[in-house]
């Protein structure tokens, strides 16, 4: 006989909810996800499970590897499965208004994730710093980027060790009441303070380990502090070197342009002087050569060129005569 507080499982005809590539199971009062029925429709890439009574996703949810868009908002989901990262095609994930405190480290496999909404979840402080406020679409896009990159940089063995340590400390704290009472009665209350101190320290270390796990990525080699400082100084020196190279390249281009302009000006002046000397020698010293050159000029241009050259010759002779005559005679 079912208990009066239990709620009957709601069954939904998935086939009626599938339209093209989307399956809408929202507002269906579901407490369990019909994973096998959804997986039978291979064309489904959009799944809407919002506004239901889900507490978890079940064991086989990760077989829905074709999902591109997933809406789990407005449920009571307390945790996501550890193999959630197998949904590698996922690009849009809405977890608004749930009961999540942590996220699985397999989020690092969601390389295509571009949108992540975690508003209304009681996230741990470390995860809250990583995810952010998610108040706008841009914030949700940044949250997806930060979460995937942070989770992808952690070592699996380090994560497993921290998780096991947290579980052990929780179990020890749960059974600490009876052992403390018995040890206090046997030892007169003097030696019972030592285990309590050790357990308190272990709890603090576990809490600190969880915070550090989600904020500081584990580096593969060497210590984190030395590598961080080395990378910081190296990046600053690289920036200075790049600026110097840019400045030197700009100065070299200016020098090349100025040298090219100066050389072209000098060559122009030299050629101009040589042309003047040639014209002077031909016109005044060797008129026979000038007559022979005139014969090669076309008839339609010959008269014009001869008149212009004659005018030029007369002006030059006048200028030379004026230059040679002394000022008194002039």
């Amino acid at each position: 006989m079912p208990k009066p507080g239990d709620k009957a499982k709601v069954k939904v005809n998935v086939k009626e909810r599938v339209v093209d590539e989307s399956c809408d199971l929202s507002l269906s009062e579901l407490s369990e996800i019909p994973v096998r029925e959804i997986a039978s429709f291979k064309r489904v890439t959009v799944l809407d499970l919002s506004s239901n009574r889900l507490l978890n996703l079940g064991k086989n949810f990760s077989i829905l590897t074709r999902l591109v868009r997933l809406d789990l908002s407005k449920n009571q989901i307390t945790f996501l499965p550890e193999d959630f990262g197998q949904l590698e095609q996922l690009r849009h994930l809405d977890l608004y208004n749930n009961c999540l405190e942590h996220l699985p480290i397999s989020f690092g496999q969601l390389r295509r994730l571009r949108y992540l909404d975690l508003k209304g979840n009681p996230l741990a402080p470390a995860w809250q710093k990583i995810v952010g406020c998610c108040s706008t679409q841009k914030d949700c896009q940044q949250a997806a980027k930060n979460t995937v990159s942070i989770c992808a940089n952690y070592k699996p063995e380090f994560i497993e060790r921290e998780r096991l340590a947290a579980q052990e400390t929780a179990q020890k704290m749960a059974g600490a009441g009876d052992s403390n009472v018995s040890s206090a009665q046997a030892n007169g209350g003097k030696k019972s303070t030592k285990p309590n101190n050790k357990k308190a320290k272990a709890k603090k270390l576990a809490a600190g380990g969880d915070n550090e796990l989600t904020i500081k990525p584990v580096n593969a080699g060497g210590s984190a502090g030395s590598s961080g400082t080395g990378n910081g100084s190296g990046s600053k020196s690289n920036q200075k070197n790049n600026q110097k190279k840019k400045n030197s390249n700009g100065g070299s281009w200016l020098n090349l342009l100025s040298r090219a302009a100066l050389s072209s000006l000098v060559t122009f002046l030299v050629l101009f002087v040589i042309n003047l000397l040639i014209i002077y020698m031909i016109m005044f010293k060797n008129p026979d050569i000038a007559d022979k050159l005139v014969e090669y000029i076309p008839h339609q241009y010959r008269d014009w060129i001869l008149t212009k050259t004659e005018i030029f010759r007369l002006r030059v002779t006048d200028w030379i005569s004026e230059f040679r005559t002394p000022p008194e005679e002039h």
Side-chain angles (χ1 to χ4, degrees):
M1 293 295 292
K3 295 180 181 180
D6 293 342
K7 295 181 181 179
K9 294 181 181 180
V10 178
K11 293 184 178 181
V12 179
N13 189 353
V14 178
K15 187 176 181 179
E16 295 178 354
R17 303 294 186 94
V18 175
V19 179
D20 295 333
E21 296 179 353
S22 62
C23 179
D24 189 358
L25 297 176
S26 60
L27 299 169
S28 301
E29 298 185 356
L30 293 174
S31 59
E32 292 184 3
I33 301 173
V35 178
R36 294 182 180 179
E37 289 81 355
I38 297 170
S40 62
F41 297 93
K42 296 183 180 180
R43 67 177 183 273
V44 171
T45 58
V46 179
L47 180 59
D48 189 354
L49 291 167
S50 60
S51 301
N52 283 291
R53 299 176 180 176
L54 299 174
L55 299 177
N56 54 61
L57 303 184
K59 296 180 180 179
N60 299 324
F61 188 81
S62 59
I63 66 174
L64 303 175
T65 56
R66 296 184 180 87
L67 291 181
V68 176
R69 187 184 183 96
L70 178 60
D71 191 350
L72 295 169
S73 60
K74 298 180 181 179
N75 284 283
Q76 293 90 37
I77 300 172
T78 56
F79 67 94
L80 296 177
E82 293 296 330
D83 56 353
F84 190 82
Q86 294 182 11
L87 307 178
E88 296 181 355
Q89 303 297 326
L90 199 62
R91 297 180 64 89
H92 184 104
L93 178 58
D94 193 347
L95 292 167
Y96 165 70
N97 198 9
N98 278 279
C99 302
L100 294 171
E101 295 182 0
H102 301 276
L103 296 176
I105 304 301
S106 59
F107 257 72
Q109 302 175 15
L110 303 177
R111 301 291 184 180
R112 293 180 175 86
L113 190 64
R114 296 294 179 270
Y115 182 93
L116 177 61
D117 191 355
L118 285 165
K119 291 192 300 292
N121 286 275
L123 293 173
W127 282 111
Q128 189 65 40
K129 290 180 182 179
I130 296 170
V131 173
C133 57
C134 295
S135 58
T136 62
Q137 184 176 2
K138 188 175 180 181
D139 293 338
C140 294
Q141 293 173 353
Q142 190 66 33
K145 184 178 179 181
N146 293 342
T147 305
V148 172
S149 62
I150 290 294
C151 293
N153 289 331
Y154 290 136
K155 286 185 177 181
E157 57 271 15
F158 181 79
I159 296 163
E160 186 66 20
R161 187 174 68 249
E162 293 293 328
R163 188 176 65 83
L164 292 174
Q167 290 180 356
E168 289 178 359
T169 53
Q171 291 176 359
K172 289 179 180 179
M173 292 299 295
D178 297 334
S179 62
N180 289 334
V181 172
S182 61
S183 62
Q185 291 176 356
N187 298 324
K190 293 182 179 179
K191 297 181 180 178
S192 61
T193 57
K194 293 183 179 179
N196 289 330
N197 292 332
K198 290 181 179 179
K199 289 174 182 179
K201 289 180 180 178
K203 186 177 180 180
K204 289 180 180 179
L205 289 174
D210 292 336
N211 291 331
E212 291 179 357
L213 176 64
T214 52
I215 296 174
K216 298 180 181 178
V218 179
N219 293 324
S223 61
S226 61
S227 62
T229 54
N231 291 329
S233 61
S235 61
K236 291 181 180 179
S237 62
N238 290 329
Q239 290 177 359
K240 290 181 180 179
N241 292 329
N242 291 330
Q243 290 179 357
K244 289 180 180 179
K245 287 180 180 179
K246 288 180 180 179
N247 294 329
S248 63
N249 290 330
S252 62
W253 278 109
L254 292 174
N255 292 330
L256 290 173
L257 290 174
S258 61
R259 289 177 182 175
L262 183 61
S263 61
S264 60
L265 180 61
V266 171
T267 52
F268 174 75
L269 292 175
V270 171
L271 292 174
F272 181 73
V273 172
I274 291 171
N275 289 327
L276 288 178
L277 291 174
I278 291 171
I279 292 170
Y280 176 76
M281 293 296 293
I282 291 173
M283 292 179 65
F284 296 102
K285 299 295 181 181
N286 295 316
D288 296 334
I289 298 173
D291 294 337
K292 290 180 180 180
L293 291 174
V294 169
E295 293 177 358
Y296 293 100
I297 300 173
H299 296 285
Q300 59 269 27
Y301 302 112
R302 186 178 296 173
D303 295 335
W304 183 81
I305 292 172
L306 289 174
T307 53
K308 293 294 182 182
T309 52
E310 186 65 24
I311 292 169
F312 178 72
R313 187 179 66 80
L314 291 173
R315 287 182 179 177
V316 171
T317 52
D318 293 338
W319 179 74
I320 292 171
S321 62
E322 289 179 359
F323 181 74
R324 288 180 177 177
T325 54
E328 295 177 355
E329 294 180 1
H330 181 73

